[in-house]
Amino acid sequence: MKHVPAAEIESVKRFMRRIPLNRLRWHTRIALWLGAAGAGLVVVGFAKLAEYSLDFFFLLIDGRPWLPLLLMPAVGMLAVWLTDRYFAGSEGSGIPQVIAATRMATLHYPVKALVSLRIAFGKILVGALTLAAGFTAGREGPSVQVAASLMHAVHRLLPHARAVRPQDLILAGGAAGVAAAFNTPLAGIVFAVEELGRRLETRTSGVLISTIILSGLVSIALLGNYQYFGHMQMMPMNRSIVVPVVIGGVLCGIAGGYFSRLMLWPQKAAHIKLWFWRARYPVRFAGACGLTLALIGLASGGLSYGSGYNVAQMLVSGSHELPWYTAIARFASTLVSYYSGIPGGIFAPSLAVGATLGGELAQLLGESVGNVPVIALCMAGFLAAVTQSPITATVIVMEMIDGHEMVISLMAISLIARGVSTRISPELYQTLAHGWQHKEQRRLDPTP
């Protein structure tokens, strides 16, 4: 019988012991990859559903300008009733809930009231319903909560519960939601670092980046490698861009700061009768908001309806000039839609407000730079002022318009706008997330 060296026997034993571990790792990776691909597929489906819903609304009111007076109050009341009755936790943008869920998961609290399959389903269903009624809401913020909910559900499918932390999956899912919603993978990574997690740990980075890449690949495979607002026709950048950057940064900073402050008004002044009435009679309040939105739409000639994608695209393409009151109408309608309590985001509406502000500023400044670059600058500036996330705003707008030559000017206006906004309002998403976290912790740990 041939003698086998002891060292060789020990080597074989070590190899055999590694087989279950390698199998466990591969099972974990496959589950994560399938979850990421599924999240991307659902977000892309949500994007198409939102598009069809808006098309349906504009087709429905064509030749019937009076119809929103009946449709919007009724759908607003139905949407809030469904949300309160079946999909609590899905109201609003969804980004604050994802931030709060990440924090609570780190503290080992249950987070199913903030991210769950129930909430994801409600976000899509009720969100599409409100868009079909013309509410001024976006589907990008909700996509963050939808993808985070799906990735959190994947945690139960992992072969070992400690293979990946729940907060890492929530964070990765939220970032993947941004990447798939805007078709901007780099923006997803930046958004995760700057807004959702405020840091990128070594053990998080692999899960985060692979999830974003897979979700982005699904989006590209189904929709193509498109730009959200198309490719901009740019003039050569020179010193003439400095004046629009400075003036636009201050203008967008003031407007975005007060927009953010007004968004936080119900949370900061809950004792005011208006918000007391909203808390006591949410369905009736939503009906009143729907009627207000219909009146704003009638007064603005329909320019306040919908997410604002069509308004921003018209301005970015340089094919239309809109009335001076468009920015005011969209500013007001976005706030009223948020106050109503429906599931809906503010990313696309904020970009539309910024685009309309840029259009007006370009008219005032003349043709030295061109209308389209100023519009793009103010889109980034207003979004940065509202979210106080300047790098995210820069990367989102840069990737959406394929405007890489504007990266320095986009970053400059975003930083200026953010600096002005911080003097007016605290951080929007972080403040709202603190409210959600405090509410859930009080519910889970009631004081005597």
Side-chain angles (χ1 to χ4, degrees), residues 119 168-169 182 189-190 310 335 421 438 444:
I119 288 175
D168 294 340
L169 287 182
F182 284 112
I189 298 173
V190 173
N310 56 335
L335 283 173
S421 177
H438 181 66
L444 295 169

Side-chain angles (χ1 to χ4, degrees), residues 216-272:
L217 286 174
V218 170
S219 176
I220 291 171
L222 296 176
L223 300 178
N225 191 18
Y226 72 101
Q227 275 73 47
Y228 196 82
F229 290 121
H231 182 79
M232 293 177 60
Q233 298 299 319
M234 303 299 300
M235 297 172 61
M237 295 292 102
N238 51 47
R239 287 179 296 177
S240 62
I241 199 71
V242 174
V243 173
V245 165
V246 174
I247 297 177
V250 174
L251 174 65
C252 291
I254 294 172
Y258 277 106
F259 180 88
S260 178
R261 187 169 179 172
L262 287 170
M263 290 273 288
L264 294 171
W265 189 20
Q267 182 172 319
K268 296 291 187 179
H271 60 281
I272 293 179

